[in-house]
């Protein structure tokens, strides 16, 4: 059984089978950045600095767990899809608010 056949896209892209330490660090950074983007686009509210720091600390801890799953499961790929859906939603929401503001004038 070859490990390369069972790796997720990002795990194979970062070659965690050949360079496990560097590959897992890159996978962790990718998952962390995508998680922050999804959090900011979908769930973030204005919070005081200390509360935001606590949230990002727990997000970083959770991403370290997700990184181990992300080697063989499509965790990062799911985050990419979630980020794209939220970006499309935010753009459409902005356009509809802009359109409503123009109609009220």
């Amino acid at each position: 059984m070859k490990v390369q056949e069972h790796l997720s896209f990002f795990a194979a892209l970062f070659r965690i089978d050949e360079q496990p330490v560097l590959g897992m660090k890159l996978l962790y950074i990718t998952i962390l950045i995508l998680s922050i983007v999804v959090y900011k686009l979908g769930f973030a509210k204005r919070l005081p600095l200390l509360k935001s720091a606590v949230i990002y600390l727990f997000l970083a801890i959770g991403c370290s767990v997700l990184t181990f799953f992300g080697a063989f499961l499509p965790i990062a790929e799911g985050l990419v899809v979630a980020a794209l859906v939220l970006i499309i939603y935010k753009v459409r929401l902005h356009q509809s608010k802009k359109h409503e503001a123009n109609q009220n004038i």
Side-chain angles (χ1 to χ4, degrees):
M1 179 171 96
K2 290 188 175 186
V3 174
Q4 295 97 352
E5 296 172 0
H6 298 287
L7 293 176
S8 67
F9 172 75
F10 281 102
L13 181 69
F14 299 139
R15 300 184 186 271
I16 64 169
D17 55 331
E18 296 173 9
Q19 300 174 348
V21 174
L22 179 63
M24 288 300 277
K25 285 180 183 178
L26 291 174
L27 186 61
Y28 173 75
I29 291 169
T30 303
I31 289 175
L32 181 64
I33 290 171
L34 289 171
S35 296
I36 289 171
V37 168
V38 169
Y39 170 71
K40 292 291 274 182
L41 287 173
F43 307 104
K45 295 185 179 192
R46 296 265 178 191
L47 295 173
L49 185 62
L50 186 59
K51 287 182 182 179
S52 293
V54 169
I55 287 176
Y56 286 116
L57 174 70
F58 282 110
L59 188 68
I61 292 169
C63 287
S64 64
V65 174
L66 287 178
T67 301
F68 292 112
F69 292 124
F72 296 104
L73 297 174
I75 302 294
E77 293 84 349
L79 288 169
V80 167
V81 171
L84 289 174
V85 167
L86 288 169
I87 288 170
I88 291 169
Y89 170 74
K90 291 288 185 174
V91 168
R92 302 253 326 185
L93 182 67
H94 179 69
Q95 287 177 348
S96 86
K97 285 183 179 180
K98 187 176 170 184
H99 182 67
E100 287 178 10
N102 287 340
Q103 284 184 347
N104 291 335
I105 294 178

